Amino acid sequence: MNYLAWNRPPSLPALARAVAQHPKPLHLVVCLPDNALPVFVPSETPSPQESALSQAIGSKLGCIQFNAANALYDILPGVHLWLMPSETACRLGEHFPQPVQWQTEAVPQLPPSDVKPWFKPPEHRTATRAIVIGAGIAGAATARALAQHGLPVTVLEAAEPANAASGNRQGLLYAKISPHNTEQTELLLCGYGHTRRLLDALLPAQENWGGSGVLHLNHNDEETRRNLALSAQTHHAHLYRPVCAETASQLAGIPLTQSALYWPQGVWLNPPALINALLDHPLIELHTRTPALAAEYRNGVWQVETAAQTFYGSHIVYCMGAHSPLAAAADVSALPYRLIRGQTDLAA
Ligand SMILES: Cc1cc2nc3c(=O)[nH]c(=O)nc-3n(C[C@H](O)[C@H](O)[C@H](O)COP(=O)(O)OP(=O)(O)OC[C@H]3O[C@@H](n4cnc5c(N)ncnc54)[C@H](O)[C@@H]3O)c2cc1C
């Protein structure tokens, strides 16, 4: 696998040459020293490859953020673009399994930071098949990500996909973040950009998602304080910005009395449509009406019991939705699993 790195955004012809000259899969790692939206300067007479790159990158830049790595997968087939803000650019070893090949002077690298024990991945164990329990948004997204990495996945769903908390006809996609750069903020911003780009790729018709932004209203003192602190982060002005009540009213098309934080790339979406698209992958085997009744790890293999069959896998992922009535019906106490402050339930 090739990891080519630049200490700042290269010109488009330089990127296009790298794409043409190296085998795929190819990872292009571009550091962003100024934590500003990158500009890839085109040539005066762009080649078809350069034009394709320009179009692919341009359409994916809207949701990049400067708290953590931005992974823009498949900007062209087999070509992945990593945009690394300065804090991440000096710790590339935490992101890639092998050293990058610098195409410019290297960015000095720091030793890896101390990883808290709960962020450490488990010890290496060969993955042959994952069993994902639950086909809500969490299960479908997990199954898809594993399948895209080449791992066969069995999804066991007690009823039908998207029947519980993820079964609402409409949900909002934006990021409800704190103004502090915590791991949770990084995760939420990365997830926001990733999901927004995924919608373009998975649901191109836009029948099941769309809109022109999300307004997070300052509806109480706490929200107002948080949104004001976020508004001060001007390097993210392309992601979210403050608007007064008058502008909010114009954007929403209805009278509003509150000011807001505006997320211009935020959208509404139909979660069941996204879930069905996520599950539609040749490496995903979906079993509906198949509640998991018990699970046990024996001789290095997970064995999951259902009424009719036992399923086997090297790894198991619980995505059953805390407090799900179906989880209760399936007697989760029989599973090595515990609900922790869950917030999901079946909407009336
Ligand atoms: C009214 C409401 C509005 C919301 N609005 C938004 C929003 O606008 N934006 C947003 O981001 N989030 C929103 N959320 C939150 C979001 O919907 C949930 O966080 C998300 O759907 C949870 O997904 P999940 O996959 O974890 O759980 P679920 O969607 O509940 O899926 C769990 C699945 O596990 C299955 N299952 C349970 N037990 C078993 C078993 N033993 N064997 C096999 N399968 C099993 C269930 O049948 C179910 O399909 C909202 C939630 C609600 C309730």
Side-chain angles (χ1 to χ4, degrees):
M1 195 113 47
N2 279 296
Y3 295 87
L4 311 183
W6 288 261
N7 62 11
R8 58 179 53 252
S11 67
L12 262 183
L15 268 193
R17 267 196 308 279
V19 170
Q21 287 168 1
H22 289 84
K24 319 294 175 296
L26 175 64
H27 294 260
L28 308 171
V29 182
V30 173
C31 302
L32 306 176
D34 311 321
N35 283 0
L37 283 177
V39 178
F40 299 95
V41 180
S43 58
E44 279 182 14
T45 49
S47 64
Q49 178 85 298
E50 200 189 316
S51 304
L53 257 180
S54 167
Q55 205 183 353
I57 296 174
S59 67
K60 294 185 181 206
L61 283 186
C63 282
I64 74 158
Q65 41 81 37
F66 305 111
N67 281 37
N70 298 273
L72 278 52
Y73 293 113
D74 286 310
I75 50 164
L76 294 178
V79 180
H80 313 297
L81 177 65
W82 293 77
L83 299 174
M84 310 302 261
S86 40
E87 269 183 49
T88 318
C90 54
R91 297 185 198 279
L92 294 182
E94 291 176 12
H95 291 273
F96 306 112
Q98 63 195 61
V100 299
Q101 301 161 41
W102 285 101
Q103 310 297 298
T104 57
E105 200 179 316
V107 171
Q109 297 294 300
L110 297 173
S113 54
D114 278 347
V115 179
K116 298 193 177 81
W118 49 91
F119 287 126
K120 276 194 188 145
E123 289 197 357
H124 180 74
R125 193 150 55 82
T126 307
T128 51
R129 172 173 289 275
I131 302 177
V132 172
I133 305 182
I137 188 81
T142 304
R144 179 72 178 210
L146 294 172
Q148 274 177 334
H149 281 77
L151 188 67
V153 186
T154 303
V155 177
L156 304 180
E157 166 52 50
E160 297 296 328
N163 75 90
S166 312
N168 288 343
R169 282 194 296 171
Q170 196 178 79
L172 291 180
L173 175 66
Y174 78 110
K176 196 168 173 186
I177 50 171
S178 102
H180 309 293
N181 187 9
T182 62
E183 272 95 356
Q184 191 181 35
T185 303
E186 286 179 21
L187 179 67
L188 292 172
L189 281 177
C190 288
Y192 172 61
H194 174 75
T195 311
R196 187 62 184 76
R197 291 187 285 272
L198 197 66
L199 284 177
D200 281 319
L202 273 188
L203 300 173
Q206 295 208 7
E207 285 161 7
N208 292 303
W209 65 281
S212 49
V214 168
L215 287 164
H216 185 154
L217 297 178
N218 293 326
H219 62 86
N220 62 28
D221 288 348
E222 197 189 325
E223 298 292 281
T224 306
R225 259 196 310 279
R226 189 170 58 108
N227 284 348
L228 276 178
L230 283 167
S231 309
Q233 299 180 355
T234 48
H235 62 294
H236 275 158
H238 64 289
L239 276 186
Y240 47 81
R241 63 173 194 267
V243 291
C244 64
E246 198 186 342
T247 308
S249 304
Q250 281 164 7
L251 287 165
I254 51 171
L256 294 168
T257 53
Q258 292 143 350
S259 55
L261 197 65
Y262 178 48
W263 292 74
Q265 279 93 221
V267 291
W268 65 266
L269 65 90
N270 174 254
L274 176 60
I275 287 167
N276 286 318
L278 285 166
L279 291 170
D280 184 12
H281 189 286
L283 286 179
I284 298 178
E285 190 186 289
L286 171 66
H287 296 262
T288 58
R289 309 213 163 270
T290 309
L293 303 174
E296 197 179 355
Y297 187 59
R298 207 183 292 157
N299 301 329
V301 178
W302 279 102
Q303 303 188 8
V304 179
E305 303 294 338
T306 67
Q309 199 181 335
T310 304
F311 292 87
Y312 300 91
S314 58
H315 290 72
I316 190 168
V317 189
Y318 293 100
C319 298
M320 300 157 61
H323 303 318
S324 156
L326 280 159
D331 184 13
V332 286
S333 61
L335 302 176
Y337 159 86
R338 192 161 60 91
L339 300 176
I340 302 171
R341 280 207 317 274
Q343 59 161 346
T344 66
D345 208 332
L346 190 66

